[in-house]
């Protein structure tokens, strides 16, 4: 993964170069076809994802919560707070994702503290179900 791709994600766009490189060192890639399930509500979550291309629906208890698209980050609740997925995410178009395993996200506290703070701040914008 190169730092330029990460800089295209709005959440990471203003990070200093050294932090972008630290994130790039641990980032992975994943591709989905339309209709593929990325996460399932209630399952343990070990990755969070930045959407590089494509769209998906986020559903909870079978009801659509929202649509997500390129530039957004998903899966952070399980990785940073609850351990379990709070929603099911289904691709509505082909998707290209940048993935971050939980162990690597926690390592960012040391190697890219501003990036880690930005990810934690995402939790303030999300509703975490009491059942998790």
């Amino acid at each position: 993964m190169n730092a330029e791709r990460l800089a295209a994600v709005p959440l990471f766009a203003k990070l200093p170069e050294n932090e972008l490189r630290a994130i790039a060192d641990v980032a992975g890639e994943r591709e989905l076809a339309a209709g593929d399930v990325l996460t399932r509500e209630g399952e343990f979550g070990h990755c969070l994802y930045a959407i590089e291309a494509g769209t998906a629906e986020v559903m909870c208890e079978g009801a659509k919560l929202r649509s997500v698209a390129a530039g957004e980050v998903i899966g952070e609740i399980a990785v940073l707070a609850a351990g379990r997925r709070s929603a099911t995410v289904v691709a509505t178009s082909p998707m290209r994702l940048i993935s971050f395993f939980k162990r690597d996200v926690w390592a960012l506290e040391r190697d890219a503290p501003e990036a880690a703070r930005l990810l934690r701040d995402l939790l303030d914008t999300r509703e975490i179900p009491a059942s998790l």
Side-chain angles (χ1 to χ4, degrees):
M1 176 71 54
N2 65 45
E4 292 79 30
R5 285 174 63 190
L6 289 168
V9 175
L11 183 69
F12 303 133
K14 294 182 180 178
L15 290 175
E17 184 66 28
N18 65 315
E19 291 213 8
L20 287 172
R21 282 193 308 274
I23 298 168
D25 286 346
V26 299
E29 299 178 61
R30 184 159 180 200
E31 292 192 9
L32 298 175
D36 285 353
V37 176
L38 177 62
T39 68
R40 289 192 193 280
E41 184 178 353
E43 290 184 351
F44 285 103
H46 304 289
C47 274
L48 65 81
Y49 304 93
I51 303 171
E52 198 170 15
T55 57
E57 287 187 350
V58 179
M59 300 180 301
C60 186
E61 297 179 356
K64 180 180 170 184
L65 296 178
R66 64 190 175 106
S67 295
V68 291
E72 296 188 67
V73 174
I74 54 177
E76 74 288 342
I77 292 173
V79 169
L80 297 172
R84 291 191 181 265
R85 297 290 184 199
S86 61
T88 297
V89 177
V90 179
T92 54
S93 73
M95 296 184 79
R96 189 173 58 247
L97 302 143
I98 302 169
S99 61
F100 303 94
F101 281 105
K102 184 182 290 194
R103 67 176 183 266
D104 297 321
V105 171
W106 291 111
L108 292 178
E109 294 285 346
R110 177 191 66 239
D111 301 331
E114 180 63 15
R117 185 191 61 77
L118 291 172
L119 289 168
R120 283 191 314 275
D121 287 352
L122 280 177
L123 293 177
D124 294 337
T125 68
R126 307 285 200 250
E127 185 175 324
I128 301 173
S131 61
L132 292 179

